Amino acid sequence: RFDIISDYLAAMKQVIDKHEKITYIGIQGLTNLANLLKKYPEVIPKLEVYQMGGAIDFELRPGWVEHNIALDVESARYVLESGVDISLVGAQTTFNPNLVVGNNHRIYRKLLESTDPVYQDLVTHIKLYNKAKGYWPRMHDPLTVAAALGDFVDFYESGIVIDKEGKMSLGDGSIKISNPKSQDKEFMNFLYKRMFN
């Protein structure tokens, strides 16, 4: 027995032990996953990780490091060097104008028309995000989930070198990296249909 709040790693391990394979979807920093792999390295062969994060040969401005990597660079490095089966859905793919849901996008307009309180919460979230960030949200995380389900994102294999600040470049190895020529328009059509049909 354990307290799930104080021992989340044991809770994760308990779930993993019940299955032959586990798909792990990361949409934040890699701290929790790194801690899991350090404490229970025997789970590495059972995990298939899809991580929203990283930026390969891509930067928004000089010195920019993608948010989920910048949160905990050491954990990101540990996971990437652990040998776990990992696919990165990186900023080179997700920072794409076709993945933006702004106030003129048909998803936003459809949410706005609805009286459903969940949809109204999404409208509020989109507005608050825009106010806080100064730009409209991109569908980074939904695209990562879609990639884990086996659709809409193409990958190629390479290694990654990650410096102490978290900047990434190609190197030797076999990490799967998202290709920026993903099927973004088809994905947004899919997302619209799943949300409203």
Side-chain angles (χ1 to χ4, degrees):
R1 308 262 321 147
F2 54 84
D3 178 349
I4 194 169
I5 301 302
S6 62
D7 197 351
Y8 71 95
L9 297 176
M12 293 169 74
K13 175 72 161 47
Q14 186 179 75
V15 172
I16 293 167
D17 285 346
K18 292 179 180 177
H19 301 277
E20 291 294 316
K21 279 287 194 184
I22 289 284
T23 299
Y24 180 103
I25 301 173
I27 56 173
Q28 254 295 351
L30 288 99
T31 306
N32 290 346
L33 181 57
N35 289 340
L36 176 73
L37 302 185
K38 289 173 186 176
K39 187 168 183 180
Y40 302 111
E42 66 272 21
V43 306
I44 288 174
K46 297 182 79 171
L47 294 179
E48 182 180 35
V49 177
Y50 288 85
Q51 175 67 39
M52 191 274 119
I56 313 299
D57 297 326
F58 176 89
E59 58 184 7
L60 294 177
R61 56 191 171 276
W64 178 81
V65 175
E66 191 278 323
H67 174 75
N68 289 350
I69 300 300
L71 285 172
D72 186 346
V73 175
E74 287 309 309
S75 287
R77 181 180 289 110
Y78 186 89
V79 170
L80 294 171
E81 294 175 354
S82 70
V84 73
D85 180 0
I86 186 167
S87 300
L88 291 178
V89 181
Q92 71 279 357
T93 298
T94 64
F95 274 88
N96 176 333
N98 291 326
L99 299 176
V100 174
V101 173
N103 60 349
N104 291 318
H105 195 277
R106 64 181 177 150
I107 289 177
Y108 182 87
R109 292 197 310 267
K110 188 78 169 176
L111 291 170
L112 199 59
E113 292 167 4
S114 174
T115 57
D116 185 311
V118 173
Y119 287 174
Q120 289 306 306
D121 283 347
L122 287 173
V123 169
T124 300
H125 175 77
I126 291 169
K127 288 178 178 177
L128 290 172
Y129 185 97
N130 176 257
K131 184 177 180 180
K133 299 281 190 177
Y135 51 84
W136 297 104
R138 290 172 175 83
M139 297 298 100
H140 307 279
D141 299 339
L143 185 63
T144 303
V145 173
L149 295 173
D151 255 331
F152 302 110
V153 178
D154 300 321
F155 293 93
Y156 65 95
E157 287 197 11
S158 182
I160 291 176
V161 176
I162 179 169
D163 70 16
K164 63 182 181 179
E165 282 81 33
K167 288 189 65 68
M168 301 170 127
S169 56
L170 296 178
D172 295 327
S174 59
I175 292 166
K176 289 178 279 302
I177 301 165
S178 63
N179 189 323
K181 295 179 181 177
S182 293
Q183 301 159 315
D184 43 48
K185 292 180 182 177
E186 291 87 350
F187 169 70
M188 293 302 278
N189 288 335
F190 165 80
L191 186 60
Y192 183 91
K193 289 175 184 175
R194 289 304 299 265
M195 290 178 71
F196 303 115
N197 294 343

